[in-house]
Every structure is written in C-alpha cells, then in structure tokens.
Amino acid sequence: MYDTKPVISERVNHWTDQLRLDSTIAELKLNLSEIDVSLPGKQLLKLFSHDDRLPGVILLRDGEFVGLVSREYFLEMMSLPYRMDLFAQRPIEQLYEFVNVNWLKLEGSTSILDAAKQSLERPPDCVYEPIVVDLGDQSYRLLDVRRLLVAQSRLYEIATIALRQHEADILELNQRLKAENIRLGAEVEVTRKIQTMLLPHATELSTIESLEIAAHMEPAAEVGGDYYDILRHRDQVKIGIGDVTGHGLESGVLMLMVQTAVRTLLTHNVTDPVAFFSTLNQTIFDNVERMNSDKHLTLALLDYTVQDGCGHVTLSGQHEEVIVLRQDGTIETIDTIDLGFPIGLDEEIASFISQTSIKLASGETIVLYTDGITEAENSAGVLYGLDRLLAVLKHHSYHSAEEIRQAVIADVKGFIGLNPIYDDITLLVLKQR
C-alpha cells in the first residue's frame, strides 16, 4: 500500500516544466504510504527500510486518518537505547504517542506557493516534516517538503520569466505609443497651424477702415474648438464667433469646417440669414454624422456695413450675449438665445433663425466672447462671470479696441492665477471709428 518509486531521483525538468503559477500541490508527485496503528512497530521499520526515500507514513485507524510518522522522527526515536526492542512488537499507536509532532495537513487544492509559505512558517524543527495532502474521500498522500521547495523555486523562475516578458511587452508598447504620440502630435501640429493660418491677419483687418479690431484666441489644448473670423466681401464685412463643444483635434477640425462653409456661402453671395444658417447647418450636420461624432457648436454671425456714417450690424445665430459699449458709458447686452440654434445638433433649424439690428455711433464698441472667459475658474472654483467682464469693459470703454482687449485678458489671467485653463478663451473687440 505504499509507493516505492523514488521521490526526487527523476530529472527535475521532467515534472516542473508542466507547472503553472496557479498549480496546486495535488499536481506534484505524492507518496502513498499508510499503515494501520494497530500493527506492530516493526512494520514501520520495514516500510522505511524498503524505501530509503520515503519521507513518512500516514497512520490510519480502521481507515480513518490519525496522523503521520516521519522518517526523521522515527529513526531518531529508534536510535535511542532499547527503543527498537521496546516498540518492535507493540502497536504503532503506542509508538505514535512518543513520536507525535506538529504535522501540517493541507487540501490538495492548495496552491504550491501557499503551501510552501505555510510549510516554512512552521517551527524550525518541523520545517522539513512531510505534509499530509488531503485529496478528499478519505484519500491521503504525503508530500516531501524538498519536492515542494523545488516546485516553488520553479514557479519563481516562471514568474521571473513572465515578468521579464511583461516588461519587454510594456517597453514595446511604450515605444509604439511614443511613435503614435509623435504621429498624432504631428497631425495636431498641422491642424493647429492650419487653424492659425486661417485666422484673420492684422493687415487684412486694417483694410476695414471704419472699425478698430482687436482679437485674442487661446486654446486650452493644442487645438482649440473656438471659432472667430472676420471676412470682407465687397462692401460687406461678416464677423463670426462660435464655440465647438469640447476642445482638441476633433473640435478643431469641426471649427475649420465651419470657417470654410461660412467663407463659401459668403463668396456665393448668400445674404439671407435663414438660408445661410440652414445651408451651413446641413453641411456641418452631415459631416458630424459621417464622423460619428457628438460635437456641435454655438455660432453667431454679424453682418457689418456703414450707413450714413454709422456702423450698422445685423446679428443672427445663437451664442453668448453680445455686449455693446455706448458713447454715454452705458452697456447693452443682447441675448442671442432666440436668434438661432446650435449648429450640427439637428438636421433642420430654419424655424429657429431670427435676426436683430445694432447701430454703432462713433466710438461705440461691440464685444464678442466665448464662455472660456465667463466660465474661467480661480483656485477656489469661483467663475469669472459676466458681471466682472462688464465691469472691466465699462471701466475701459473709452479706450482703444486693443487696450480693451489687453485689459480684459489681463484681468481674466489675474483672476485665474495659477489655475489651469479648462476651456478655450476667445475675445473679439470691434470699435466704430
């Protein structure tokens, strides 16, 4: 009833190569060596003499597990004077009372690593005692601790190899990500440059003799989602300001689409605001669907002409409130909520488009902005707000367009402090000469 095969003599790689990090002790080579405690002690000696590599013997009583006798303790006890003669003919149960040790019994489903840990946590004189493996249904085997430690060593080797492979995979992934980031960075840089190139230049703005114009656009990311443009076509000037949801590459691309569509419609002399916005919206809506994107934008368009020596502005489209600084120091705000509808959000917006008119006397100013200004946060989470913007504008209303721009941006930056910019900041100041 015992296994006479050598425990450790076969090549280690023959059985350790099949191990995994989650392998259990039931997968290891186990000894089947058991004896009933009613038998005389000489039967134990016979078992140990028959197999000099047998780590121990499981003791049973009528088929029930009682304990174990290890080779080491048995031979130590039998080496004492007269001990062999004393116990040779007596039942093993009496011998067991003298050689009983703090044995360890584990279920076969215990992982190799956990079993090794529990084995090594035993008292020093018990560390190398064999472990009883309970396979269920009153089936028991013995595990030589040396075999367990060899298996543990192999698992550490497997884990080290896996870790090195994992590190190699991470290194390769990092290199691929680096290359991808370089590629995306190049794409973003190209888009940013295109976006910057399409902004109106100072020389272009200087040709609009009846207006002082100052503009500021600062993206929160490399590519902004804010839109502004000033386009001259014959005797008309079209001024646009908008804000694409979010920022980054996708928002920037959508902004470029809007700029192109606005210029195209202006070039083709589309002057009716309903037709202008409907066509623009349909173009953007179709492209957003093709992109499988949820982006859209607010957009206000101002048509500026000079009539009877005064500036005349027709305003349409939905965006932030338009601010007008009057000659007498008063400030007007024009709500655009009823003048349009977000672009690209719905396929048909013609019924939402309306317009209103603004007259500008000499020295009066229109200020356009995106919510990156009014929703700028300081370190306490407080928003800059429209009231603070109006106060700065009122204080500098008699200054030049450029001085007004500088004052607003300086105040916003001072308010933000070291807090990061979470949204694109755009400001457009138009002052009637």
Side-chain angles (χ1 to χ4, degrees), residues 121-136:
E121 287 176 345
R122 292 183 292 179
D125 59 338
C126 300
V127 166
Y128 290 103
E129 287 295 297
I131 297 171
V132 178
V133 180
D134 184 354
L135 299 178

Side-chain angles (χ1 to χ4, degrees), residues 231-238 266 271 302-305:
L231 301 169
R232 185 167 188 172
H233 182 65
R234 298 178 180 174
D235 295 331
Q236 180 184 357
V237 177
K238 186 170 285 290
L266 182 62
T271 57
L302 296 81
D303 292 314
Y304 172 84
T305 58

Side-chain angles (χ1 to χ4, degrees), residues 169-186:
D169 291 342
I170 291 176
L171 180 60
E172 180 184 358
L173 180 60
N174 284 337
Q175 290 173 342
R176 287 167 55 191
L177 288 175
K178 183 179 179 180
E180 182 68 10
N181 285 336
I182 292 173
R183 183 185 67 81
L184 289 175

Side-chain angles (χ1 to χ4, degrees), residues 22-42:
D22 60 349
S23 289
T24 65
I25 55 177
E27 301 174 44
L28 300 178
K29 296 287 186 179
L30 304 175
N31 292 99
L32 174 58
S33 54
E34 51 191 28
I35 192 169
D36 195 282
V37 293
S38 64
L39 295 176
K42 63 181 180 181

